[in-house]
Amino acid sequence: MFFSVIVPVYKVEKYLSACIESVLNQTFSNFELILVDDGSPDRCPEICESYQKTDERIKVIHKPNGGLASARRAGIREATGDYVFNLDSDDSIEPDTLECAHQIILDTACEMVSFSYRWVKNSQTVSITNDGLREGLYTEEEIKAHIYPRLLMDKNMNHISYYLSGKAVKRELLTPHQLGVSEAISLGEDLCCVVPCYLHAKSVYISKKEAYLYTVREDSISKEFNANQIYLVENVINELSKNNTKQVIDFNEQLCRYSCFMCFTILASAAEGNHFNSINAIRKNIKNSVHGKKIPCASFEQISKKSKITVFLMKKGCYRTAFYFLNFCKHIKKVLKKG
């Protein structure tokens, strides 16, 4: 078996069939599809079972709900493929994705293939994201020279793709790191697995092929805001800090930039949703967490004026002012769009 495609499944009955069909319709057929029903309360378990009856390559695992990390751990324990490809159950892949990954692996013997993302909303491409690096094979020394500097974030807010989905990873490389991610991580699980994979990989292929189709879901946009996300990011930083990162000369600086960037993102999300009543909680949670020490140490260079102002205010501890500034920017943007 060459590929094990692992799909964690939870409350996605509207999207699951399209996801499964995108795998079954691959032009490369030497794969197994592992559907991990993570205690989904809707019709997803039945959908998984119905597909299993139609194709012997499909395995279905039913387990109590434990979150994404738990589901992926269950999936990789059952995996037998030489390489593992993770796919989220509300997304899909292009028909030649596995064939392309297989050819790259045959040509280069690389341990990882990282594809670009196409963000799709209502069948229309919204945006395209990639690792921001030249396409091609990266040897061990090239990984250190070009990937390590943006492993978490460089001074210009550039970084590699944090997603585990959309990557074909050698099973022997992925398994210990996937199993090593704490199931308590509920935000940033991908990054906690991707970083150690890069730290231990001897060869990586970066592809510009937009093979992974990320579904932009209207129903996934919550109207609620939870300032405790600050602590979830703290958990990620603590998890990342457990890695042996001596070969990454600026890893601590990258942690500071990542901390600042994620808190910036959370603050911007609150401002975008007009969650004025969350300002005090955001400020309190940042000051009472690891972010309180890391944000003042975050150093950036070529970033937008909006980002520069926000980061400056955050480093000074002026989170209320930063919130109102971001909220003001949102309204200005709307006015300019109408004009």
Side-chain angles (χ1 to χ4, degrees), residues 128-313:
I128 294 167
T129 58
N130 55 55
D131 291 282
L133 296 166
R134 65 162 178 82
E135 181 166 16
L137 180 68
Y138 289 74
T139 61
E140 199 167 0
E141 288 305 312
E142 289 170 321
I143 292 171
K144 291 178 181 178
H146 300 288
I147 294 179
Y148 282 4
R150 55 170 64 198
L151 197 59
L152 297 179
M153 183 159 292
D154 69 12
K155 289 187 177 183
N156 300 328
M157 283 192 180
N158 297 316
H159 56 83
I160 57 161
S161 170
Y162 293 155
Y163 300 112
L164 181 59
S165 296
K167 291 177 173 62
V169 186
K170 198 169 187 177
R171 182 161 55 89
E172 285 81 358
L173 172 63
L174 178 63
T175 300
H177 306 307
Q178 182 69 79
L179 295 179
V181 176
S182 170
E183 294 189 7
I185 301 293
S186 58
L187 184 155
E189 184 273 346
D190 286 46
L191 186 60
C192 291
C193 185
V194 166
V195 166
C197 282
Y198 275 118
L199 290 174
H200 290 85
K202 290 181 170 50
S203 57
V204 173
Y205 192 95
I206 303 295
S207 174
K208 296 292 187 183
K209 178 179 173 61
E210 300 151 19
Y212 194 92
L213 308 179
Y214 182 96
T215 302
V216 181
R217 292 170 51 181
E218 293 286 354
D219 59 346
S220 68
I221 301 174
S222 174
K223 293 181 180 179
E224 301 297 323
F225 175 83
N226 189 349
N228 285 333
Q229 288 178 320
I230 299 290
Y231 291 119
L232 298 183
V233 177
E234 180 181 44
N235 291 341
V236 173
I237 289 175
N238 291 335
E239 187 80 5
L240 291 171
S241 298
K242 295 176 184 177
N243 290 286
N244 181 359
T245 57
K246 291 180 181 179
Q247 66 269 45
V248 185
I249 58 175
D250 67 338
F251 191 76
N252 287 331
E253 288 86 346
Q254 289 197 47
L255 275 177
C256 291
R257 290 193 287 269
Y258 176 76
S259 169
C260 185
F261 174 77
M262 292 303 295
C263 289
F264 179 167
T265 301
I266 292 169
L267 189 64
S269 176
E272 181 71 24
N274 296 318
H275 298 289
F276 295 93
N277 59 345
S278 297
I279 299 174
N280 289 336
I282 292 171
R283 181 177 58 189
K284 177 184 174 183
N285 291 355
I286 289 177
K287 290 185 175 181
N288 291 339
S289 65
V290 67
H291 307 296
K293 292 182 178 179
K294 291 200 175 296
I295 290 175
C297 299
S299 175
F300 296 96
E301 292 180 354
Q302 297 177 26
I303 57 177
S304 69
K305 288 183 180 180
K306 173 183 171 182
S307 296
K308 281 182 180 179
I309 293 171
T310 305
V311 168
F312 173 80
L313 292 170

